[in-house]
Amino acid sequence: MATMAECRSALDRLSDNLTGAEGDVRSAADLDRSLSCHIKDLDVTFTGRLKDGRIQVHDTVEGPPREKAQIRLAMTGDDLVAMVDGELNFAKAWGSGRVRLEAGFRDLLKLRSLL
């Protein structure tokens, strides 16, 4: 089971990957939205913003998110690490229910190129 530090590191690596992206991926990541990532097996939530193509983690709270972020992710820590490491395909994990992504319709359309 991934630790909280490993999950935070994975989010930082994901942010770095988004910052270096080009084309459609860069455009999709160039939103300004509140963001939460609930790590189900650790029962912690990282909260912050997706802004200027970066994930900015502002806080870590126990349990599910306390406020409804504009973009909400939920998964296990192992799945987060595996996705960032390229070992788990996001679209397949989302389609099978291993990863949950919730956002407004327009944001989902824009985020689809990240999938």
Side-chain angles (χ1 to χ4, degrees), residues 47-92:
T47 62
R49 290 200 78 76
L50 174 62
K51 184 175 180 181
D52 299 324
R54 291 200 61 80
I55 296 171
Q56 304 165 347
V57 176
H58 296 151
D59 200 7
T60 305
V61 296
E62 290 188 27
R66 295 181 183 147
E67 297 178 15
K68 186 176 178 181
Q70 292 166 303
I71 299 172
R72 300 167 302 283
L73 291 162
M75 67 196 78
T76 67
D78 287 341
D79 285 345
L80 173 63
V81 171
M83 279 191 307
V84 173
D85 288 344
E87 299 168 2
L88 178 63
N89 179 281
F90 181 85
K92 288 181 181 179

Side-chain angles (χ1 to χ4, degrees), residues 10 29 31 33:
L31 296 169
R33 301 286 187 272

Side-chain angles (χ1 to χ4, degrees), residues 1-2 12 17 25 27 39 46-47 50 54-55 63 68-69 89 98 102 112:
M1 180 166 75
D12 290 341
N17 292 346
V25 173
S27 175
I39 307 300
F46 295 95
T47 62
L50 174 62
R54 291 200 61 80
I55 296 171
K68 186 176 178 181
N89 179 281
R98 286 177 66 177
E102 297 175 2
R112 72 177 183 218

Side-chain angles (χ1 to χ4, degrees), residues 10-54:
L11 286 172
D12 290 341
R13 289 192 322 273
L14 178 58
S15 181
D16 291 342
N17 292 346
L18 293 175
T19 301
E22 297 178 4
D24 289 343
V25 173
R26 176 68 182 169
S27 175
D30 203 21
L31 296 169
D32 183 4
R33 301 286 187 272
S34 59
L35 176 75
S36 68
C37 182
H38 183 230
I39 307 300
K40 298 185 294 187
D41 54 334
L42 298 175
D43 199 24
V44 298
T45 301
F46 295 95
T47 62
R49 290 200 78 76
L50 174 62
K51 184 175 180 181
D52 299 324
R54 291 200 61 80

